[in-house]
Amino acid sequence: MTADEEDDHVAHPDLDGLFDRHSRRPDGGRDTSRVDVEKRHRILRSLREQLERHPSVVGARGSPDGRYAEITADVTPADFGRDAASASLRVSWQPNPRFPPGTSLENRRRTSLTSNFTIHYQESSEFDCGVHLEPNPHAEGHLHYQERASPDDEYDYDAMSLEATSPVGVLWEVLELIADRLRDE
Amino acid sequence: MTDSSEEGDEPAYVSRWKAATTGFDRVQSVASSLEEPRTAGWIADEAYVSEPTTRDHLERLVDLGVLVVDDTGRGKTYYPDPVYTRLTAIQELVAENSETELTEQAIDIQADITAWTEDYDVETPRELRASVTDDVSLEEADERLRVAADWESARYQLSLLRDAIDHYDTYTGRPSASV
C-alpha cells in the first residue's frame, strides 16, 4: 500500500477512521485529491454566497444536507419569464475533473476553463434546462446548453461560449444566459 | 475597466452583478473562488473593478487573513488562506446546526460511505476511480467518477463536522455581558 493509499484507507466506518489527518505526503507534496476536494468545497460555498445575492434566488444551501457535493437554490420562475409554480437551481463544480477513458479534450476548445460544472434550472412543470461543462456523448463539445420540456423528452443541445472565467463570474453569466433564453421562448 | 465607466458596453450579466453587489463584494468573491493563485490584474478583470481599487481590496483581505499573497516568481499573486477557509466552513456549520444535528449529519454521511463501500466493493474513492477502465460503459464510468468525487467531499465534510462537534462548546461559548 502506498502512502497515498494509506491516507485514503478506511478500515472501519467509525468517525475517527474517516478523518484524513495526513494530507501532506512524506515527500513534502500535497495529496492532490485532498487539495481538489477542499477547493471544490470552498468554491461551492462562494457560489452559494453569490446565489444568495442574486435577485431571482430565494435561498441557497449546500446539498445533500449541507455537505456541499453541490448547491441547490430556490428561484423565482417569473424572473426567468416562466409561469411555473416553483423552480430550483442545481449547481455543481468539479476542479481537476477525472475523465472516463477515451474522453477527447478536443471537445473543450470553446473554453479555457479547466473545471467541470453544471448550472441547471428545473421547474415544477417538469421543464428543465442548463449550461454544463462536462463530457456528454449526445452533445458536441463539453460546454453546452441543454433543454427539454419534460423527463420523457430527449434533450436539445446547443453549443455556447462564456466570457467569464472565474467561478462566480461564470455563475452570474450563466444565470443571465438561461434567463435570456427562457424569456425569448 | 472601472466601476463607473464602460457600463454601456459591459455584458448584461455584469450590470446585474454590479447592481446586487459592491466592488469589494465582487473582488472578495472572485478571490475566494480562485482555482489557482492569480494577480490583482486578473482578479480586477473578472470582478469588473479597477485594478488600483482591486489592489486596495486585496491588501485589506490579506490583512484580515482571508487571502495569502505570494510575491515570488511571476509577480504578486493572491489565493484563499486555507486556515481562514476551513474555519469559516466550521463557523457556518456551528451557526446553522445544533450539536445533535451535527452528529446526525456525521452519522448520515458515514452511512452513505458504508453504502458506497458495499455497492462498489471498494474501500476508498481512489479504488473506485481505479475501477474505471476501458471495459466499463461510459455511463457507468461517469457514475463511478461522480460517486468518487462525492465520497471525497463526504470525507472532507466529516472532518469539518468532527472539528465542529469536538469544539462545539468553545465555538458557541459567549461571555456574559457585564451590567
Side-chain angles (χ1 to χ4, degrees), chain A residues 13 16 19 40 68 115 165, chain B residues 35 46 92 110 153 158 162:
Chain A
D16 280 337
F19 301 129
R40 181 194 195 195
Y68 288 100
S115 295
T165 52
Chain B
E35 297 183 286
E46 287 294 319
E92 181 181 308
Q110 186 177 311
S153 285
L158 267 178
R162 173 59 177 268

Side-chain angles (χ1 to χ4, degrees), chain A residues 19-34:
Chain A
F19 301 129
D20 176 3
R21 298 186 188 279
H22 305 286
S23 61
R24 193 168 288 277
R25 293 173 171 170
D27 64 4
R30 291 273 288 174
D31 180 340
T32 53
S33 66
R34 175 65 184 242

Side-chain angles (χ1 to χ4, degrees), chain A residues 17-138:
Chain A
L18 293 168
F19 301 129
D20 176 3
R21 298 186 188 279
H22 305 286
S23 61
R24 193 168 288 277
R25 293 173 171 170
D27 64 4
R30 291 273 288 174
D31 180 340
T32 53
S33 66
R34 175 65 184 242
V35 171
D36 288 341
V37 77
E38 289 170 348
K39 190 185 297 182
R40 181 194 195 195
H41 194 275
R42 169 172 55 77
I43 290 171
L44 285 171
R45 289 180 59 242
S46 294
L47 293 174
R48 176 198 174 182
E49 290 172 5
Q50 285 297 295
L51 278 168
E52 288 174 337
R53 292 171 183 271
H54 195 283
S56 301
V57 173
V58 179
R61 59 212 160 270
S63 68
D65 304 322
R67 78 176 73 163
Y68 288 100
E70 60 184 25
I71 303 293
T72 54
D74 300 320
V75 299
T76 307
D79 289 356
F80 292 85
R82 306 281 300 181
D83 59 4
S86 63
S88 62
L89 277 177
R90 183 173 55 81
V91 178
S92 68
W93 199 277
Q94 182 59 57
N96 191 23
R98 274 72 169 180
F99 295 107
T103 302
S104 170
L105 296 185
E106 170 70 11
N107 285 327
R108 292 182 84 86
R109 61 185 177 275
R110 280 197 300 273
T111 178
S112 60
L113 291 166
T114 55
S115 295
N116 280 353
F117 73 81
T118 60
I119 300 175
H120 206 87
Y121 170 95
Q122 171 123 32
E123 286 183 352
S124 53
S125 69
E126 296 196 321
F127 168 87
D128 71 90
C129 67
V131 174
H132 297 201
L133 175 55
E134 61 181 1
N136 183 320
H138 307 294

